[in-house]
Each structure stands twice: as structure tokens, then as C-alpha cells.
Amino acid sequence: MEPATMAWTAGLVGAGLVYWFVWVMGAAEVKGKRAVDLKMGSITRDKVQDKYTQYWSFFRRPKETASTQASADKVPAFVDTFYNLVTDIYEWGWGQSFHFSPSLPGRSHRDATRVHEERVADLLGAEPGHRVLDVGCGVGGPMRAIAAHSGARVVGITINEYQVNRARAHNRKAGLDAQCEVVCGNFMAMPFDDASFDGAYSIEATCHAPRLQDVYGEVYRVLKPGRLYVSYEWVTTPLYRADDPAHVEAIHGIERGDALPGLRRQDEIASIAQEVGFEVVQELDLALPPSLPWWTRLKMGRLAYWRNSLVVRVLTLLRIAPKGVVEVHEMLYETAQHLTLGGETGIFSPMHMVVLRKPAAAAE
Ligand SMILES: C=C(CC[C@@H](C)[C@H]1CC[C@H]2C3=CC[C@H]4[C@H](C)[C@@H](O)CC[C@]4(C)[C@H]3CC[C@]12C)C(C)C
Ligand SMILES: C[S@@+](CC[C@H](N)C(=O)[O-])C[C@H]1O[C@@H](n2cnc3c(N)ncnc32)[C@H](O)[C@@H]1O
């Protein structure tokens, strides 16, 4: 090859690599996180690998995690560890809203996410002057969308302190800190007064509760009589067959990789809501047609996963990312395969929507 051609080729390859590196390391969409900032929550660098091992030995056999009261009691602490391990990776690779949404033809993932969140505000009839509770708020993507869309004040609660700090920083940056408040606490024992909210919602969060009654009961307590609670639940659908090993493995894979103490069946949700006192206003699986698949965003990212996996390996090698990040990333990659299978086979839905009302006549 001519020296000039060689120089041009090397220049082009170099430019391509620099572009790829900047693109990979930089934030895509509005993620607010770059790979070089992967910290693993409040866990100190040297403890990441140990914490991951502890998490994995607890959630490895999902059915056992909530089989006794003693192990069910440990779930919130392990869920907290899980979010220390995954929050930065989620923000980096997914964004500030930690949930799925049905795809919308011709619209971006960001738009689809927002539409799915605004639907909650509209169902609640949230408006300026209202105080609305976000049960399991993550780093606050939905909270900011709902506050901006409705004008209501939103109070979010999460078990994970690192998320509290991330959410508060994002709220300040978005200029929504006067409207959005974030509290660290357990949604099964909330630090709020009885009948102090005009509405409540949970987006893909209550699946972490060993007993749904415990969180629904708390939401019922803090809601004003006559007000609504909207929840997007993770459930197995009627297509799930407990005698099909492929189904069982997909569901176990979802539970293991997402800190779940056992997924509930779709038909259990309404009766649990009624058991704690709610009236069921509406129940609808938003994953069903005419909705377009929610899992395509996971599936279409195979190349991105491979690229991300390379990035976390290089960053760990350079000691920029702590040891253990590669294992956590692998676990997420695996759970993404199980989630995709769950979506494709229709045995799993992350968006079984229930709209519940605390009766107007409920005693305060
Ligand atoms: C509601 C919950 C979380 C739902 C989703 C937000 C996350 C479930 C699986 C996650 C991911 C899987 C693969 C990751 C990928 C390997 C990495 O390179 C970039 C991030 C992922 C795409 C990550 C993003 C968030 C999820 C889609 C649960 C926990 C109840
Ligand atoms: C998958 S994230 C969803 C976050 C947010 N709803 C969103 O869509 O972006 C689940 C959230 O539930 C919270 N969570 C899980 N168990 C909890 C508990 N016992 N008490 C409070 N928050 C909890 C987690 O900390 C996390 O913020």
C-alpha cells in the first residue's frame, strides 16, 4: 500500500475509533451518566464484588427468598444492595426512567416512556395543588414527567439512598426541585401521615415486595378517601405454564436478575387490592395488542450490549470502574434475554395496569 493511502487509512480508522469511543463513553439520549462515572451506588469500591456475591446467593433461588418470614424480612436490604449495584448501569444504558413502555410507531423510546408516564398523571386526574405519591421512585424520571405534565407536587419514596441523591440532583437540574421531593424509606412502612395524598402511583416497583398486601395497605392508608392509586405491575400472564421448563426458567431468570421475591400471577392483583380495601376501577394489561411490543428496545440492543460489555471490561482493567461491575453487567445482560423471551412468548407482562380507588366513605 502507498504510504499516503496508509496514512489516510490509519487516519480514518483513528477518527472512527475516537468517534466510537466518545459516543460510547458519552451519554446517549438524556442519560445523565457516562461509563467512566460508573460508581455502584453507595458501595465502596472494594466491596462491590462481595456485595454482588451476597446479592446473587440470596436471589439465586427466587422462590426461596420469600418462603419464610425471616428471609422475606431480608428482601428490602437486598433490594437496596441490588439498586446500589445497578442504578448507574441503568442510567448509563437506559435513562432516568427505570421501566418499560409499549413502543410507539415512528416515535423515540424517550417519547414512548413519557407517554406511558403521563398516562398515569391523566388517570389520576393530577393537577396543581395536588400532592401525589410515587411509590418506588428510582432516580425520578417518571416523577419529573408527571410533575411537569400535571403541575402537581410529587413526593417519591425509594429504599435506596444513592437513588435519593441522584433523583434530587436531577430534580434540581430540571428546575423541578420545588415541585418534587424525594424521601428514603421502605414503601411497606412509609413515613407519611394517614390520608395525606391526593393520588398515588407505582411504576414497576411493587414487584419487589414479598407481600403485595404490605405495600398496597400502606398506599391505602396514606391516600385521602375517594382518591386513586394507579400501578403498573410485573406479573406472569395466563399463558404461563408452570409445567413448561422453558417458561419456568424464563421467569426464574427474570426474578434472579431483577431482585424479585417471586413474580405474582396477573389474576392475584385485583383480589389483593380488594383485600386491603380498594375498589378496582380498571384493570388492563398494557402489553397486549393493540400495544406494540415493549421488549423490542431490549432486543434491538444486542450490538449495544456487546459494546457496553467491552466498555465495562476495559474500564475495570484500567481500574476506573470497580471490580464486580463486569459480573453485574453480565447478570443484566442475562436478565435482558429472559425478559425478551417473557415478552415474546407473552408469559410475562411488566405493565399490568390497575386503577384503584380508596372508597370515599373509608374511615380515616
Ligand atoms: C423494573 C425493573 C427494571 C426494568 C428495566 C429498566 C431494566 C431491566 C433489565 C435492565 C437492563 C438489562 C440489560 C442492560 C445492558 C446489558 C447494559 O449494557 C445497559 C443497561 C441494560 C439495558 C439494563 C437497563 C435497565 C433494564 C432494561 C426491575 C428491576 C423491577
Ligand atoms: C425498577 S425501579 C422503578 C423506579 C421508577 N418507578 C421508575 O419507573 O423509574 C423500582 C424502584 O422501587 C424501589 N423499591 C423497591 N423496594 C422498595 C421498598 N421496599 N421500599 C421503597 N422503595 C423500594 C427501588 O428502590 C426502585 O427505586
Side-chain angles (χ1 to χ4, degrees):
M1 200 187 283
E2 296 276 317
T5 320
M6 262 172 78
W8 269 106
T9 313
L12 275 175
V13 170
L17 278 176
V18 168
Y19 173 76
W20 178 80
F21 193 72
V22 171
W23 177 60
V24 167
M25 307 296 267
E29 297 196 64
V30 200
K31 293 179 179 161
K33 248 304 149 194
R34 295 178 318 149
V36 281
D37 298 325
L38 294 179
K39 281 200 203 66
M40 318 311 271
S42 326
I43 304 174
T44 51
R45 280 181 75 83
D46 53 321
K47 295 278 177 341
V48 172
Q49 195 134 39
D50 285 355
K51 285 286 178 189
Y52 169 72
T53 309
Q54 288 165 17
Y55 166 83
W56 189 248
S57 53
F58 186 74
F59 273 102
R60 191 181 50 202
R61 287 185 222 92
K63 281 286 170 250
E64 286 167 30
T65 51
S67 60
T68 64
Q69 190 56 46
S71 64
D73 288 347
K74 291 186 192 147
V75 167
F78 279 101
V79 168
D80 180 31
T81 298
F82 173 79
Y83 281 105
N84 276 325
L85 295 170
V86 305
T87 293
D88 279 350
I89 302 184
Y90 276 19
E91 273 203 59
W92 167 56
W94 198 256
Q96 294 174 14
S97 291
F98 296 172
H99 63 81
F100 297 104
S101 342
S103 307
L104 293 179
R107 310 270 297 269
S108 65
H109 296 311
R110 210 193 315 170
D111 283 355
T113 302
R114 211 175 164 94
V115 166
H116 198 54
E117 294 167 347
E118 289 176 354
R119 176 181 203 138
V120 170
D122 295 340
L123 283 163
L124 290 176
E127 58 184 40
H130 278 183
R131 182 171 182 252
V132 172
L133 174 64
D134 183 332
V135 182
C137 64
V139 298
M143 160 192 278
R144 286 180 288 284
I146 286 168
H149 179 68
S150 67
R153 276 191 61 203
V154 185
V155 180
I157 183 165
T158 165
I159 194 89
N160 182 258
E161 182 131 34
Y162 182 72
Q163 291 189 338
V164 171
N165 296 327
R166 293 292 299 161
R168 286 181 182 157
H170 289 313
N171 290 347
R172 272 195 300 277
K173 211 165 163 193
L176 286 166
D177 45 336
Q179 226 180 309
C180 298
E181 191 187 324
V182 193
V183 173
C184 194
N186 186 345
F187 55 38
M188 293 176 279
M190 292 195 275
F192 305 122
D193 290 340
D194 294 359
S196 55
F197 286 95
D198 301 288
Y201 64 90
S202 46
I203 301 185
E204 303 189 21
T206 54
C207 47
H208 290 297
R211 289 181 76 250
L212 193 61
Q213 288 85 337
D214 294 342
V215 50
Y216 275 18
E218 271 297 88
V219 176
Y220 183 88
R221 179 182 68 76
V222 303
L223 259 189
K224 294 179 184 170
R227 300 306 176 122
L228 296 176
Y229 169 42
V230 175
S231 190
Y232 292 164
E233 294 291 338
W234 276 36
V235 292
T236 57
T237 73
L239 293 179
Y240 172 71
R241 299 285 310 269
D243 57 359
D244 183 332
H247 285 191
V248 174
E249 180 46 25
I251 295 302
H252 281 179
I254 291 172
E255 292 165 342
R256 280 195 299 265
D258 294 285
L260 305 180
L263 274 167
R264 279 170 271 276
R265 292 193 321 266
Q266 204 167 72
D267 63 2
E268 290 178 279
I269 307 297
S271 48
I272 295 175
Q274 284 161 338
E275 189 185 315
V276 306
F278 281 116
E279 290 165 2
V280 179
V281 178
Q282 196 189 353
E283 194 178 10
L284 183 65
D285 184 358
L286 300 177
L288 290 176
S291 293
L292 295 180
W294 54 266
W295 61 91
T296 41
R297 183 175 175 192
L298 271 179
K299 214 182 152 181
M300 287 166 76
R302 288 260 160 83
L303 196 68
Y305 297 153
W306 173 82
R307 178 199 67 195
N308 289 355
S309 163
L310 189 68
V311 170
V312 292
R313 277 167 209 279
V314 171
L315 291 174
T316 309
L317 215 70
L318 297 175
R319 295 179 195 273
I320 295 172
K323 258 177 144 174
V325 177
V326 171
E327 288 83 344
V328 175
H329 190 265
E330 277 308 297
M331 174 188 78
L332 292 181
Y333 178 72
E334 254 180 50
T335 203
Q337 311 304 306
H338 294 298
L339 284 161
T340 305
L341 192 66
E344 282 175 340
T345 52
I347 62 170
F348 162 76
S349 169
M351 48 190 75
H352 182 68
M353 181 189 74
V354 281
V355 182
L356 310 173
R357 188 192 308 279
K358 177 170 176 174
E364 284 195 20

